[in-house]
Amino acid sequence: MSYTYDDKNIFAMILRGDIPNTTVKETEHTLAFRDINPQAPVHILLIPKGKYVTADDFAANASAEEIVDFWRCYGEIAAEEGLAADGPGHRIISNAGEHGLQEVPHFHVHILGGQGLGPILTPRG
Ligand code: AMP
């Protein structure tokens, strides 16, 4: 698989500090911040600091250290935001590529919660 990373994407600008963000958590390899257009009471975007375009790019090409750091951050955020699945729970989504309707070409996971979220997809007619 071959991916071309666009340094001009908006999350690259956030990582460079060119535009502001509302940071939830930051580690050596990972940043989490509030979505600018929240679709639920809690809507956080979790991104690696490395230049990965999609979830499958990250899975194939990130280091083990980056991958562990990313998913540990996810778990910590879920707990810290009161969304753990032994409590109310939450949903994670990662849109990838054309069929996934990915808007920003820097891998990110949406963490959504704070209310019942309904079905993930509308049944196909
Ligand atoms: P996706 O369609 O999965 O690529 O989602 C991109 C997400 O990025 C959307 O939910 C946007 O609301 C969000 N977004 C775009 N620009 C910003 C920004 N400057 N700060 C925070 N979230 C943003």
Side-chain angles (χ1 to χ4, degrees), residues 9-93:
N9 80 76
I10 198 145
F11 295 169
M13 294 169 70
I14 285 176
L15 286 168
R16 285 196 297 270
D18 294 345
I19 58 171
N21 73 92
T22 305
T23 299
V24 172
K25 184 176 283 289
E26 181 168 12
T27 66
E28 182 183 356
H29 296 298
T30 308
L31 179 68
F33 53 93
R34 307 263 173 211
D35 196 292
I36 203 167
N37 183 25
Q39 304 297 309
V42 179
H43 188 170
I44 293 166
L45 298 170
L46 183 65
I47 70 172
K49 292 184 176 178
K51 297 180 178 183
Y52 304 103
V53 180
T54 58
D56 53 347
D57 183 15
F58 184 70
N61 297 312
S63 69
E65 194 181 337
E66 290 173 300
I67 291 170
V68 168
D69 186 72
F70 186 86
W71 290 110
R72 290 272 190 253
C73 275
Y74 151 66
E76 290 169 12
I77 290 166
E80 289 161 10
E81 295 285 327
L83 306 177
D86 61 356
H90 58 280
R91 178 173 292 152
I92 58 174
I93 297 172

Side-chain angles (χ1 to χ4, degrees), residues 82-125:
L83 306 177
D86 61 356
H90 58 280
R91 178 173 292 152
I92 58 174
I93 297 172
S94 188
N95 299 317
E98 184 182 344
H99 284 188
L101 294 181
Q102 182 179 5
E103 291 174 14
V104 180
H106 180 113
F107 168 49
H108 53 282
V109 166
H110 299 254
I111 304 172
L112 297 147
Q115 66 180 33
L117 297 166
I120 188 167
L121 294 173
T122 306
R124 290 196 287 174

